[in-house]
Amino acid sequence: MLKKERETAALDAEAPIKVSPAVLEVLKQQREAMLSALDEDRPVYGVNTGMGRLSGTRLTAEQQSRHQWNLLVGRAVGGKPWLSAELTRALLRMRLRGFLRGDAAVSPELVVFLADRINDGFLPAVPRDSLGSAGEIIPLAHAFQTFVGLGTVLEEGAEIPAAEALRRRGVRPFVLGPKEGASLIQGSPLAEAYAWVCGKKLPRLIDWQTLCAAITVDVLGAPQAIYRGTRIERLIEGGATRPGVVQAPISVRVGPKVLEYVSQTVAELRETLHESWETPADSPGFVNGEFVPTTGYHAAALGLRMDAVKAALVHAAEVSVQRLHRLLDPQFSGLPPQLAVDPGPQAGLTPLHKRAAGELHAMRRLAAPATLGSLDTSAGQEDVQAFASQAGAELETVIGHFFAITACELIAGRQARYLLETPGAPKLGDTYAWLAARIEPVVVDRSLGPEIDKLAEVCREWRSRLEPGSPLTSPDGPAGAPNHEA
């Protein structure tokens, strides 16, 4: 039962969350057992002791009553830029998902409060960068101090005090009980949020890149035998090989292999995310009636997976940019130089390639692993950091750059097909028509920047999926456009 509710909390980002009475009863029993265990007066990290280097300090009953509030306040040292609304909502869902596992032993009231804030669009201002802690205590302190009426919330593009945002909702600030402040700032729900959000975008990107590769093969009239058994094979079926072309450039030939590797790294990221979902995040967690120390805050596995996806995407983007350059070269395309209608007086699409090269350069600068570079903090108590959420932030940025490159390649493919004035591979016909309906041919030089950005956004938001072995059909647009699953 708890597992089903956890899946709903994470996987259906549109549906309102309602935690069932049966689940709340299970959480209540777990909470009561945890509070009973606290009565034994043994030291419990972050509950009746300090945290970090101060974990050896026992707290008096009076200090404990204020301690959970202090945990949220003293660690909110981050600043702008804030997370996007999409990532903030995902962060709240990942936190709820973890609480529904039960080992945090927070109260049912806190779980309901969190679910209600997700449902009413409550968006804490959470820092995106400069997060140098073990785990995610800085962003999580910013996120959840808002529950007690501190910090700021984003509403309609503006920051307002959290207390005011709660008042507008007719809600009183939450009063934290034992262990609840510590539970709110432990674990790595932000890294999970990045893995989840990026994981949904990546299949779309792979599908669009598959189409880009197929279009280039079709336009260049490349020999098709090398594509047997790949997703590209069925897209280029019936296309013609250009006379005299014995072998296409490497960037054209290796497209399927490169995208297959990207898909593999994405699958591994997804698998690691599911493992993270089932790992206790609190340290200590309350498992089988005992307080158990854990390492769930050290999300290095997620961070390293996201770093691996970054590297794979950069290589795939290098292939994409090179394919685009080959389309502009008459040696390979047989078309006018730079895909210009009137080469010389017109620049054609060379500036488009320069935009793609700039996007690729930005991606390359982000290819270094974000998960490396630990430093001593907390007087040596915290001497290793995972930086997993930073890997996620960089992956999100890399994906954005790659969608822009993809838009550039699609525009070049559309222009090349216009200049060829032939229909091309039959199964790409609807794709060419879809592109033609959105991108006018470049018959005279014009500013393509807005068109690149608009097409990149369309690609990011396309909501159905291209299934291997099936016709290219989509409920959201004409047949032949990529079918991306949200």
Side-chain angles (χ1 to χ4, degrees):
M1 182 184 300
L2 286 174
K3 183 175 182 180
K4 182 177 180 180
E5 299 241 357
R6 290 202 305 269
E7 290 173 350
T8 301
L11 299 180
D12 191 348
E14 305 299 327
I17 295 172
K18 181 174 175 58
V19 184
S20 70
V23 169
L24 292 175
E25 180 59 31
V26 172
L27 295 175
K28 178 182 177 183
Q29 293 173 10
Q30 178 79 338
R31 177 71 175 172
E32 290 173 348
M34 189 275 292
L35 293 175
S36 177
L38 283 177
D39 289 341
E40 298 177 11
D41 197 35
R42 56 183 168 177
V44 178
Y45 179 74
V47 180
N48 54 24
T49 76
M51 294 186 75
R53 185 63 180 267
L54 303 178
S55 60
T57 303
R58 291 293 297 270
L59 305 180
T60 66
E62 180 180 354
Q63 289 171 330
Q64 288 180 48
S65 67
R66 188 70 171 171
H67 185 51
Q68 301 304 305
W69 189 89
N70 287 340
L71 290 176
L72 296 176
V73 178
R75 288 155 178 79
V77 296
K80 294 179 179 178
W82 308 122
L83 288 181
S84 67
E86 180 183 31
L87 261 299
T88 304
R89 286 191 291 266
L91 166 62
L92 298 180
R93 283 180 175 270
M94 295 303 109
R95 180 83 294 169
L96 176 62
R97 196 184 200 288
F99 283 173
L100 290 176
R101 195 170 44 239
D103 46 69
V106 299
S107 66
E109 290 78 14
L110 178 55
V111 169
V112 170
F113 190 93
L114 174 52
D116 288 344
R117 300 294 73 77
I118 294 171
N119 290 338
D120 66 22
F122 192 79
L123 287 176
V126 181
R128 183 181 187 271
D129 300 326
S130 305
L131 309 176
S133 56
E136 297 176 352
I137 59 173
I138 295 174
L140 298 182
H142 278 270
F144 296 113
Q145 68 172 346
T146 60
F147 283 17
V148 300
L150 301 172
T152 57
V153 172
L154 304 176
E155 291 197 357
E156 298 180 353
E159 290 183 51
I160 66 169
E164 172 63 15
L166 292 173
R167 187 193 66 78
R168 292 180 183 181
R169 290 164 171 78
V171 176
R172 292 181 179 275
F174 191 82
V175 178
L176 298 167
K179 195 177 178 296
E180 291 187 318
S183 292
L184 284 168
I185 64 171
Q186 291 195 357
S188 295
L190 180 52
E192 292 180 338
Y194 273 115
W196 182 47
V197 168
C198 293
K200 291 191 298 179
K201 295 176 180 178
L202 286 163
R204 303 177 190 178
L205 180 56
I206 293 168
D207 284 350
W208 282 108
Q209 273 293 302
T210 300
L211 266 183
C212 286
I215 289 171
T216 302
V217 171
D218 186 45
V219 168
L220 298 186
Q224 299 185 10
I226 198 171
Y227 306 106
R228 287 173 187 160
T230 71
R231 297 177 76 194
I232 290 176
E233 179 185 23
R234 67 186 178 86
L235 298 174
I236 61 175
E237 183 182 353
T241 299
R242 193 157 65 93
V245 177
V246 177
Q247 186 162 258
I250 290 176
S251 61
V252 180
R253 283 180 274 149
V254 301
K257 185 179 183 67
V258 170
L259 293 175
E260 179 183 355
Y261 179 70
V262 175
S263 297
Q264 179 183 328
T265 63
V266 173
E268 290 167 348
L269 172 60
R270 186 178 297 112
E271 179 181 349
T272 302
L273 176 59
H274 282 272
E275 291 171 356
S276 180
W277 279 344
E278 300 306 322
T279 302
D282 275 33
S283 186
F286 190 68
V287 182
N288 298 325
E290 297 289 337
F291 290 101
V292 179
T294 77
T295 56
Y297 54 85
H298 190 67
L302 268 180
L304 288 165
R305 290 295 189 198
M306 289 189 281
D307 278 338
V309 176
K310 278 194 307 172
L313 289 177
V314 170
H315 181 57
E318 290 176 336
V319 172
S320 176
V321 172
Q322 290 299 85
R323 283 197 308 256
L324 170 55
H325 209 189
R326 301 294 79 79
L327 284 173
L328 301 178
D329 190 338
Q331 174 186 347
F332 300 102
S333 70
L335 294 171
Q338 303 178 180
L339 298 180
V341 171
D342 187 11
Q346 296 175 3
L349 298 194
T350 288
L352 187 81
H353 176 254
K354 294 179 185 296
R355 165 72 182 269
E359 299 283 353
L360 175 59
H361 184 253
M363 292 175 68
R364 284 172 170 161
R365 298 200 306 273
L366 296 169
T371 44
L372 305 183
S374 293
L375 295 167
D376 265 15
T377 65
S378 194
Q381 181 73 14
E382 295 183 5
D383 54 357
V384 173
Q385 298 85 25
F387 294 116
S389 65
Q390 295 304 94
E394 291 182 358
L395 175 57
E396 182 189 35
T397 302
V398 162
I399 290 170
H401 288 304
F402 203 173
F403 271 116
I405 290 171
T406 301
C408 291
E409 193 174 0
L410 288 170
I411 292 171
R414 185 270 187 273
Q415 178 75 0
R417 177 52 57 194
Y418 167 76
L419 292 172
L420 280 169
E421 297 180 344
T422 55
K427 290 185 179 178
L428 287 173
D430 288 334
T431 295
Y432 291 132
W434 186 89
L435 287 169
R438 285 157 178 79
I439 304 294
E440 291 292 326
V442 182
V443 294
V444 295
D445 289 344
R446 68 173 187 266
S447 299
L448 288 172
E451 294 173 71
I452 296 169
D453 293 341
K454 183 176 181 179
L455 185 57
E457 182 64 22
V458 169
C459 292
R460 276 194 295 268
E461 299 303 321
W462 200 260
R463 296 187 61 83
S464 54
R465 175 151 185 142
L466 182 151
E467 295 293 346
S470 66
L472 287 178
T473 58
S474 166
D476 300 302
N483 299 330
H484 301 288
E485 185 175 24

